[in-house]
Amino acid sequence: MILNGKAALVTGASRGIGREIALELARQGANIAVNYSGSEAKANEVVTEIKALGREAFAVQCNVSNAESVTNMVKSVIEEFGSLQILVNNAGITRDNLLMRMKEEEWDDVINTNLKGVFLCTKAVSRQMMKQRSGRIINIASIVGISGNPGQANYVAAKAGVIGLTKTTAKELASRGITVNAVAPGFISTDMTDKLTEEVREAMLQQIPLARFGDPADVAGVTAFLASDTSAYMTGQTLHVDGGMVM
Amino acid sequence: MADVVERVTKIVVDRLGVEESEVKLEASFKEDLGADSLDVVELVMELEDEFGMEISDDDAEKIVTVGDAVNYIKSTM
């Protein structure tokens, strides 16, 4: 186990990729704060699964776009675990629409959760990590933040923003022993991608050299690596977990 | 309130690795004491812990010299 006894906060951990990340970090020995926004029951299921692995875990409600709420969440995690070594900024939403049809509200919602949320959570944990002189921040971006994607102007802008934020935070905090990296998943099978039509799925597969959709476990494994001491000499990087789609 | 000056001085000496004699009230953390921006952020964090207070981002930005820190702390006591 590469994360024995470390304390981690995973945002958006009740479902999909975040859920798998929370479980994988726990399998690697970490205690986990399972953040959720609306899905309390699902978050509690994740907590139960983590406890069954013999780790500590608790669910913490917080909308990451709200500064006060984020501050309170981080305080409660540090109180509970006594320290905080790992933050995984995973919480994200989609409000897809063509640029010409996109409402201001759709733009704002996605930017607030997917980009501002990363800023707020990172700011809130940086104090503790600076004092510790150690920390790992892993931002879940997206391959579309690099390649662009029609119908997702808001999501793509937010994810590209996260990649820039990752690099800047990495430079600012490097001298204090904190590394900041991003993971850019490609098409990963989750509730989000299950909604796609068969036709769209076929077209997507054509673009993936490894010829399959990713599994949340593919992203979780790379995230655990970035959270571990094995990746100590990496910071500011964005790792593509996309079956080779974007090189 | 010499106590405040002493306590602030000790933190500055520990954090920035400067001589006590250099830590004068008019000394600027960045210009005179060799601190970078992140050092000042950390100093403010330590002052918060030492004096059991919270210093807002707006107020923290106004703390440039040792005297600024001392005066701010005194004003909240």
Side-chain angles (χ1 to χ4, degrees), chain A residues 59-118:
Chain A
V60 54
Q61 197 281 332
C62 169
N63 178 336
V64 294
S65 64
N66 181 297
E68 195 184 343
S69 179
V70 167
T71 305
N72 290 334
M73 167 173 71
V74 169
K75 265 187 197 159
S76 74
V77 175
I78 293 166
E79 270 172 26
E80 183 74 22
F81 292 145
S83 64
L84 181 56
Q85 283 85 27
I86 301 161
L87 166 67
V88 181
N89 283 307
N90 166 76
I93 58 170
T94 54
R95 299 276 185 275
D96 296 353
N97 214 336
L98 287 173
L99 177 78
M100 293 185 69
R101 298 261 176 263
M102 189 171 286
K103 296 176 190 70
E104 191 178 351
E105 194 185 330
E106 292 170 335
W107 173 269
D108 288 344
D109 283 353
V110 170
I111 297 292
N112 283 339
T113 298
N114 298 16
L115 180 56
K116 184 183 170 188
V118 176

Side-chain angles (χ1 to χ4, degrees), chain A:
Chain A
M1 288 187 292
I2 53 178
L3 303 174
N4 236 350
K6 299 202 167 170
L9 165 61
V10 182
T11 68
S14 63
R15 289 183 294 177
I17 292 173
R19 175 183 196 281
E20 193 54 38
I21 289 170
L23 290 170
E24 179 59 21
L25 298 186
R27 282 184 211 110
Q28 295 298 336
N31 299 318
I32 315 287
V34 176
N35 160 256
Y36 67 97
S37 177
S39 321
E40 186 179 5
K42 295 219 169 203
N44 285 330
E45 283 174 26
V46 178
V47 168
T48 306
E49 277 196 54
I50 292 170
K51 284 184 173 167
L53 294 165
R55 310 280 169 261
E56 289 175 44
F58 70 101
V60 54
Q61 197 281 332
C62 169
N63 178 336
V64 294
S65 64
N66 181 297
E68 195 184 343
S69 179
V70 167
T71 305
N72 290 334
M73 167 173 71
V74 169
K75 265 187 197 159
S76 74
V77 175
I78 293 166
E79 270 172 26
E80 183 74 22
F81 292 145
S83 64
L84 181 56
Q85 283 85 27
I86 301 161
L87 166 67
V88 181
N89 283 307
N90 166 76
I93 58 170
T94 54
R95 299 276 185 275
D96 296 353
N97 214 336
L98 287 173
L99 177 78
M100 293 185 69
R101 298 261 176 263
M102 189 171 286
K103 296 176 190 70
E104 191 178 351
E105 194 185 330
E106 292 170 335
W107 173 269
D108 288 344
D109 283 353
V110 170
I111 297 292
N112 283 339
T113 298
N114 298 16
L115 180 56
K116 184 183 170 188
V118 176
F119 158 67
L120 291 174
C121 291
T122 302
K123 185 179 175 191
V125 304
S126 59
R127 181 191 180 98
Q128 174 70 24
M129 289 184 177
M130 274 173 72
K131 279 191 189 175
Q132 292 169 180
R133 287 286 187 271
S134 71
R136 290 275 186 274
I137 299 172
I138 299 117
N139 297 327
I140 306 304
S142 169
I143 205 67
V144 301
I146 291 160
S147 64
N149 200 26
Q152 291 197 303
N154 47 7
Y155 188 81
V156 168
K159 294 300 189 181
V162 166
I163 292 170
L165 180 59
T166 300
K167 294 175 187 178
T168 295
T169 315
K171 288 188 175 182
E172 284 194 18
L173 299 179
S175 65
R176 300 320 194 251
I178 301 164
T179 69
V180 189
N181 291 288
V183 178
F187 289 108
I188 306 297
S189 302
T190 62
D191 297 350
M192 250 195 238
T193 50
D194 288 347
K195 290 176 197 154
L196 302 169
T197 64
E198 198 52 45
E199 209 180 354
V200 173
R201 292 165 65 90
E202 252 333 292
M204 282 174 175
L205 275 177
Q206 296 294 322
Q207 304 167 36
I208 304 173
L210 288 177
R212 67 170 175 90
F213 289 114
D215 187 87
D218 293 318
V219 179
V222 172
T223 304
F225 160 70
L226 289 174
S228 76
D229 293 338
T230 318
S231 64
Y233 199 53
M234 291 177 64
T235 195
Q237 302 304 308
T238 300
L239 298 188
H240 298 190
V241 182
D242 65 349
M245 199 167 64
V246 175
M247 296 186 191

Side-chain angles (χ1 to χ4, degrees), chain B residues 57-68:
Chain B
D57 290 345
D58 285 344
D59 288 337
E61 279 172 13
K62 292 178 198 140
I63 297 177
V64 177
T65 65
V66 176
D68 293 339

